[in-house]
């Protein structure tokens, strides 16, 4: 019989963690803005697992360890998940500013060699998508 690889073990752990019982009635729904879902799907499996679990934690009202407030957005309403894998850095940005939904604003592989700061082009895109999320939320919650 074939021994499970470390990747198989990681997948099993993630599946257990994703399906474990949580202390909430109903997880918040995810809304993907722009190409964010397609971008996450293009990441390596290990990165997808880590980002998926971090988003799941946000859905059930927790803050994942790799999620940090994104500078320049006035507090902890916009968070960035940073995941390193095989000498590359992957990021997913989401907002918890809305009471009923989690909006995934952007996902990308950081390619800049100039430190850890998020590149301005990415920040500008996140700002545009945050405005789209605000408009979408207003439409969804109109009475």
């Amino acid at each position: 019989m074939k021994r499970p690889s470390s990747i198989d073990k990681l997948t099993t752990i993630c599946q257990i963690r994703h399906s474990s019982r949580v202390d909430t009635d109903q997880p918040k729904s995810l809304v993907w803005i722009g190409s964010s879902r397609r971008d996450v799907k293009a990441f390596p499996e290990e990165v997808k697992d880590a980002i998926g679990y971090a988003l799941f934690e946000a859905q059930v009202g927790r803050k994942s360890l790799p999620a940090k407030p994104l500078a320049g957005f006035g507090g902890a309403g916009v968070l960035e998940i940073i995941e390193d894998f095989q000498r590359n850095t992957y990021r997913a940005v989401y907002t918890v500013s809305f009471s009923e939904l989690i909006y995934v604003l952007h996902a990308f592989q950081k390619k800049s060699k100039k430190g850890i700061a998020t590149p301005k082009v990415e920040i500008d895109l996140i700002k545009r998508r945050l405005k789209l999320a605000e408009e979408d939320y207003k439409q969804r919650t109109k009475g």
Side-chain angles (χ1 to χ4, degrees):
M1 178 175 254
K2 184 179 162 188
R3 290 186 70 199
S5 70
S6 60
I7 293 174
D8 292 336
K9 289 178 188 175
L10 177 62
T11 301
T12 301
I13 290 168
C14 288
Q15 288 170 345
I16 291 168
R17 290 176 72 186
H18 281 291
S19 61
S20 65
R21 191 171 167 85
V22 295
D23 299 330
T24 185
D25 295 327
Q26 180 71 25
K28 293 180 181 181
S29 295
L30 284 179
V31 178
W32 301 84
I33 301 292
S35 63
S36 58
R37 185 175 187 162
R38 182 175 56 245
D39 297 337
V40 169
K41 283 183 170 188
F43 291 169
E45 288 299 319
E46 295 84 350
V47 174
K48 286 191 283 191
D49 285 345
I51 288 174
Y53 187 69
L55 290 172
F56 172 74
E57 287 186 300
Q59 287 180 275
V60 297
R62 299 185 207 143
K63 185 188 151 301
S64 179
L65 286 177
K68 310 285 184 223
L70 184 58
F73 286 87
V78 176
L79 296 121
E80 180 176 43
I81 303 162
I82 302 171
E83 193 61 37
D84 294 316
F85 179 71
Q86 293 184 348
R87 300 175 67 195
N88 293 304
T89 300
Y90 299 85
R91 298 182 180 199
V93 179
Y94 65 98
T95 183
V96 293
S97 298
F98 308 102
S99 62
E100 300 169 20
L101 299 168
I102 303 292
Y103 283 86
V104 183
L105 303 172
H106 189 33
F108 60 100
Q109 179 181 350
K110 185 173 181 295
K111 297 185 184 228
S112 172
K113 306 292 185 217
K114 299 179 184 176
I116 62 171
T118 304
K120 183 180 180 338
V121 66
E122 306 294 353
I123 292 292
D124 291 344
L125 179 58
I126 292 164
K127 286 179 180 178
R128 288 192 304 273
R129 288 185 176 177
L130 181 58
K131 287 182 183 179
L132 291 172
E134 290 167 352
E135 293 168 10
D136 181 78
Y137 190 75
K138 285 178 188 173
Q139 290 296 318
R140 289 174 186 257
T141 58
K142 268 186 178 173

